[in-house]
Amino acid sequence: MNAHMLSTRLAQIASFVPEQARLADIGSDHAYLPVYLASNGKIDYAIAGEIAQGPLQAATSQIKKYGFTHKIIPRLADGLAAIQVEDQIDTIIIAGMGGLLTKRILTEGQSEGFLSNKERLILQPNNHEQLLRHWLATNHYQIYDEKIIEDHGKIYEIIVALPKKEIDYTLKELYFGPVLMEKKSAVFQKKWQKILQTKQKVLMNLKNAQYPPEDKIGKIKKEIIWIKEVLE
């Protein structure tokens, strides 16, 4: 399998996987990522975790098609329960899910002992990116790289984190992404220009309400100031 068979989103996620990784791809979506990585000799071993039989069968077929049944193991499980101690997983991908679901998977995986807090995390939530960054900071993960991309008209953020004892992020860094707000790519600016316009409209509507909610107005005003500062 070559890179042309991956979407822009999946190709970018794949680029963050280290050489000789032992990978757990949670919600593997036909096992495209682990098969691509195995085809290119980048990973030593992978688990393709799925929560339902249909997706599991699709992943199994893909793995067999490319001849990687010795290297990629499809496994039916909820979230990080797909990981077993003997797998010696060092890299976890959770991509293409909502931020709330991703947070639940991480939280449950940690409490149930499937997440050892030693793994590299490669996360691509479809929303609630700030929520995930807060979880990472609270659980002693450093966000050492991030990427924002546009794929088929949709904007995605990819967050790469490694364990670190001392973490010190500002609320503003967790809001925008500490790496993303430094790079200020064209896609980043496009995303936040659109959000700024939306928040300005919401603020106007709240101010014109019969009983303006002062707390909410104050929060949105603060966010608007942040966005304008970052876009300068």
Side-chain angles (χ1 to χ4, degrees):
M1 180 186 285
N2 57 47
H4 298 296
M5 297 181 71
L6 291 183
S7 65
T8 301
R9 177 181 67 91
L10 288 180
Q12 185 62 65
I13 293 167
S15 73
F16 287 121
V17 176
E19 296 288 338
Q20 299 180 311
R22 295 183 68 85
L23 174 70
D25 185 21
I26 306 302
S28 195
D29 186 23
H30 293 77
Y32 287 133
L33 268 176
V35 167
Y36 166 76
L37 291 164
S39 297
N40 289 274
K42 197 170 182 182
I43 57 172
D44 285 348
Y45 177 84
I47 297 299
E50 292 289 1
I51 195 172
Q53 281 289 351
L56 184 74
Q57 289 170 3
T60 302
S61 297
Q62 185 83 344
I63 293 163
K64 286 180 178 177
K65 176 182 175 181
Y66 286 92
F68 287 116
T69 53
H70 64 293
K71 187 174 279 192
I72 305 171
I73 311 301
R75 197 169 283 162
L76 187 68
D78 185 1
L80 298 185
I83 299 172
Q84 298 174 3
V85 175
E86 55 268 31
D87 296 323
Q88 298 182 312
I89 296 301
D90 55 38
T91 304
I92 296 172
I93 293 175
I94 307 176
M97 303 182 195
L100 291 171
L101 176 55
T102 304
K103 181 188 174 186
R104 178 184 72 77
I105 289 170
L106 291 169
T107 302
E108 291 180 0
Q110 192 177 62
S111 65
E112 293 166 6
F114 302 114
L115 180 65
S116 69
N117 285 67
K118 295 179 181 177
E119 301 89 350
R120 173 191 300 245
L121 301 180
I122 303 172
L123 310 175
Q124 183 270 295
N126 289 340
N127 49 40
H128 295 293
E129 296 89 355
Q130 294 94 339
L131 185 73
L132 272 189
R133 292 193 189 97
H134 278 278
W135 187 95
L136 292 168
T138 302
N139 289 276
H140 305 288
Y141 276 90
Q142 180 184 13
I143 299 166
Y144 88 96
D145 208 350
E146 294 178 291
K147 189 80 172 181
I148 184 167
I149 60 167
E150 187 167 8
D151 188 5
H152 289 87
K154 293 185 179 180
I155 292 177
Y156 302 98
E157 293 184 14
I158 302 163
I159 305 167
V160 187
L162 284 169
K164 189 177 181 183
K165 287 185 179 179
E166 299 299 324
I167 302 296
D168 185 22
Y169 289 117
T170 65
L171 291 176
K172 192 174 180 181
E173 286 175 323
L174 296 176
Y175 187 75
F176 294 102
V179 179
L180 295 179
M181 67 184 288
E182 287 296 320
K183 293 179 179 177
K184 294 185 183 180
S185 70
V187 179
F188 176 88
Q189 293 181 56
K190 179 179 179 178
K191 171 181 177 171
W192 287 103
Q193 285 285 3
K194 187 175 180 180
I195 291 174
L196 175 61
Q197 292 170 8
T198 300
K199 287 189 179 293
Q200 287 172 330
K201 289 177 183 176
V202 170
L203 180 62
M204 188 180 300
N205 290 336
L206 290 174
K207 284 181 174 179
N208 292 333
Q210 187 174 0
Y211 303 103
E214 295 303 328
D215 287 351
K216 195 167 185 180
I217 286 173
K219 179 177 179 292
I220 292 178
K221 279 183 176 179
K222 181 180 179 180
E223 290 171 343
I224 287 172
I225 290 170
W226 277 2
I227 296 169
K228 286 182 175 178
E229 288 174 350
V230 164
L231 290 175
E232 284 179 356

